[in-house]
Amino acid sequence: MAKFAGAFRVGAAHTERIIVSVLSRIELYHVAVPLPTPFRPAWIPGLPQTHNRFDLLRLVTDDGVEGWSAGPAMGGERRGLGDLLGPYLLGLDPTDIETVQQRLREMSYLGLRNAWIEPAFWDIKAKLAGLPLYRLLGGEDQPIRLYASTGQLRGPAARVEEVARRADEGFRSVKLRVHADSLEEDIAQVEAVTKAFGDRIRIGVDANQGWRVTAVAKAPLWDRVRARRFADACADLGVAWLEEPLAMDDYDGLAELTAAAKLPITGGELHTAGWPELRMMIHRRCYDVFQPDAMFTGGVAQTLQVIEECRAHGLRYTPHTWTNGIGFAVNLHLMAVGGDPDGFLEYPLDPPSWTPRFRDAILTEPFNHDRGTLSLPTGPGLGFTIDRSALRRWGRRTSVITAGRLALRTLRDKGPRVAAELARTRRHTAGPRSTP
Ligand SMILES: [Mg+2]
C-alpha cells in the first residue's frame, strides 16, 4: 500500500480506481540570464559574475503534470547529467518521495550530489493534490517577513547608504557581509551600521566563512580566536545574529562558539550531506539557528526532518535562499512550514544586478516584496509559472530523456542482447501502472 501513498482517487466509490502517475519525460536546460552590471558575490571574493546561471529541470508525468526545479551553476559542469537521470528516475511514481530520495542517494555514490532535483517531485505531488506545497506540508497562509540580504562587499559609508535605501523600501531587517583583511575593519562596518539604524533595523552579519572560496582572490580565513572576538563585538553592538563565522565542518569550533557567544550563531546553508550531518550538528548544538538550503542539503524531505529535530531540541530554523527564483520559492514554502516565528526570511537583493527581475527572470511573476514582506504563492505546487519566452531567450535545452530515447541509447551503447536483458529486468521490477 505504501507505494500508492501519494496517489489520488477519481470516480464514484463503486468504480473507484487508484491512478499512479509515472514520470515519463525529463528535460534539462542551461539558463544564463545576463546581469545589467557584473555582480561581485562576497562569497567568491574577486569573481565578477556576469550572468544568473543555473540548470533547469523539467519533469513531465504521463498525464501531463510538470514539475520544475533549478540548481545554480558556474558553467557547463552538469553537461551529461541527463545520462545519469534517465535510468534512475524515469518510470517512477513522482509522488513517492521516499523512492526519489533513495534514487538520488544512489546517484550520489560516485560523487554527484543533486539534492536540487528533489523539489521538482514535490512540485508534481502538490499539483496532483491541488495545493500549494506549504499547504500540503501543513503550513499556514501567512505573510512572510523578509530581511534584505546584501550580496557584495562595501565600505562602512556605502553600507550605511545601502541600509538606508532598504529601510526606505520597508525592510525591517538587513544582513551585512564583512570580509575585510582585519578584524578592526569588520567591526568598524558593523558599528557604523548599528549606530545609524540599530534602534529600528534588525541587523544580521554574514561572515561567509562556512565554505570559503579563495580560488580567484585571496580572502581571510577566520580562526576560532577571530570568530570569537568578532562575535563578542557584534553582541556588544546589538547585532541580531552572526552567520557562518567558522568553516562549516569545524564542528567542535562551532559548538564551542555557539555555547559561548552572547548572540545567536547561525549557519548550515551548504551541508550537502544533508540530514545525517545536520542531525549530528543539531545534537551537538553547532548553531542556534539552522539555515539549510533545501536545494543543497537533501531537498524538501530532509529539510522537514531538520525542522522537526530543531523543534525537538529547542533550536530554530530559517532557510538560506540565495540561488535563483526557483530555489527561493522552494525555501519560501519551507519557511511557511517550519520557519522561526520570530525570524525573517532571506531575500536576496543587491541592485542593480541582483533584483527580483534578474533573480526570477524565467518566472512569469517575480517574487516582488511589498514593504519587506511577501505573500505566499496561491497556485498549486511551488506556485510559479515558467515564462516560456524568457526560457527560450536565455535557456538552451541540453537533454531530453524519455523511455524510447533511453532504450535507443542503451541499444547503441550496449548492443541488442544486453539491451534486451535490461529491458526484461526493468519490466520485471517496475510497479503496476494502475490497479483495478
Ligand atoms: Mg550565508
Side-chain angles (χ1 to χ4, degrees):
M1 203 53 209
K3 178 166 173 47
F4 300 111
F8 64 103
R9 289 162 186 273
V10 293
H14 61 282
T15 57
E16 188 173 71
R17 289 196 312 142
I18 297 176
I19 294 179
V20 178
S21 291
V22 170
L23 180 61
S24 60
R25 186 180 178 91
I26 303 171
E27 294 179 3
L28 286 167
Y29 297 77
H30 186 74
V31 182
V33 180
L35 302 177
T37 59
F39 172 73
R40 294 178 170 77
W43 43 95
I44 309 183
L47 177 76
Q49 194 178 335
T50 54
H51 294 76
N52 173 15
R53 202 177 269 282
F54 52 93
D55 291 305
L56 180 72
L57 173 73
R58 176 178 180 245
L59 303 179
V60 190
T61 67
D62 55 349
D63 35 14
V65 182
E66 289 180 332
W68 296 90
S69 195
M74 297 298 285
E77 67 270 18
R78 290 202 191 89
R79 238 174 256 152
L81 181 62
D83 289 354
L84 191 64
L85 298 190
Y88 282 83
L89 301 179
L90 272 183
L92 285 188
D93 166 3
T95 67
D96 178 3
I97 301 291
E98 206 178 312
T99 303
V100 170
Q101 284 275 339
Q102 174 61 20
R103 292 289 172 273
L104 292 175
R105 183 174 154 81
E106 291 165 9
M107 283 166 52
S108 76
Y109 295 152
L110 297 181
L112 293 170
R113 281 180 177 159
N114 282 291
W116 65 278
I117 287 172
E118 185 253 24
F121 288 90
W122 284 101
D123 193 19
I124 293 175
K125 189 174 169 105
K127 281 173 179 163
L128 287 171
L131 293 170
L133 179 60
Y134 73 91
R135 294 279 299 152
L136 179 74
L137 299 176
E140 290 186 7
D141 191 4
Q142 58 192 301
I144 302 291
R145 293 186 304 176
L146 307 166
Y147 72 80
S149 186
T150 66
Q152 301 186 96
L153 302 184
R154 289 192 175 82
R159 191 67 91 195
V160 168
E161 274 175 37
E162 182 185 23
V163 176
R165 281 195 294 275
R166 300 290 90 81
D168 288 347
E169 291 160 7
F171 285 98
R172 289 287 154 267
S173 183
V174 177
K175 187 172 81 184
L176 319 177
R177 311 270 169 179
V178 294
H179 297 270
D181 286 336
S182 74
L183 174 70
E184 289 68 29
E185 289 168 273
D186 286 339
I187 294 173
Q189 177 178 157
V190 177
E191 192 170 10
V193 173
T194 50
K195 271 198 175 143
F197 303 100
D199 53 341
R200 57 198 178 100
I201 301 286
R202 185 160 137 156
I203 302 293
V205 179
D206 194 340
N208 284 122
Q209 294 292 322
W211 48 279
R212 204 69 174 118
V213 180
T214 56
V216 187
K218 278 188 185 167
L221 288 161
W222 292 12
D223 59 14
R224 294 179 188 179
V225 173
R226 180 161 172 175
R228 177 67 198 273
R229 287 177 62 199
F230 186 70
D232 287 347
C234 284
D236 292 344
L237 291 167
V239 166
W241 77 93
L242 172 58
E243 189 167 318
E244 299 213 312
L246 287 170
M248 64 180 173
D249 53 2
D250 183 4
Y251 310 122
D252 293 341
L254 283 166
E256 232 171 69
L257 180 64
T258 296
K262 295 173 284 176
L263 85 172
I265 302 297
T266 72
E269 58 199 47
L270 242 69
H271 290 280
T272 54
W275 163 241
E277 186 183 12
L278 287 161
R279 177 174 179 269
M280 175 276 289
M281 294 182 79
I282 291 167
H283 291 179
R284 294 194 60 181
R285 304 183 88 83
C286 288
Y287 304 118
D288 295 295
V289 183
F290 280 75
Q291 302 169 308
D293 185 323
M295 309 307 279
F296 300 103
T297 57
V300 172
Q302 295 186 36
T303 304
L304 296 174
Q305 292 176 286
V306 170
I307 288 170
E308 218 170 278
E309 200 74 0
C310 279
R311 273 190 191 140
H313 288 77
L315 300 172
R316 288 171 284 158
Y317 158 80
T318 59
H320 169 270
T321 71
W322 195 307
T323 52
N324 51 64
I326 292 179
F328 179 80
V330 171
N331 288 296
L332 170 66
H333 283 269
L334 285 162
M335 180 75 180
V337 174
D340 172 12
D342 297 325
F344 291 70
L345 178 68
E346 178 176 42
Y347 190 77
L349 186 62
D350 203 324
S353 294
W354 215 268
T355 61
R357 181 174 161 207
F358 299 102
R359 186 192 66 199
D360 309 347
I362 62 157
L363 309 184
T364 54
E365 284 175 59
F367 288 97
N368 286 313
H369 78 97
D370 177 17
R371 304 289 302 160
T373 63
L374 197 60
S375 305
L376 289 162
T378 53
L382 290 170
F384 55 73
T385 305
I386 297 294
D387 179 339
R388 301 294 174 134
S389 71
L391 178 57
R392 271 194 300 277
R393 187 165 173 201
W394 292 308
R396 188 170 46 83
R397 199 167 68 182
T398 52
S399 249
V400 178
I401 311 118
T402 61
R405 284 170 180 248
L406 183 59
L408 271 178
R409 207 193 73 205
T410 309
L411 190 63
R412 199 186 58 223
D413 291 352
K414 298 182 189 291
R417 186 175 298 193
V418 173
E421 181 191 328
L422 265 173
R424 274 197 307 277
T425 312
R426 283 187 182 282
R427 256 199 306 279
H428 180 69
T429 54
R433 167 70 184 82
S434 65
T435 54

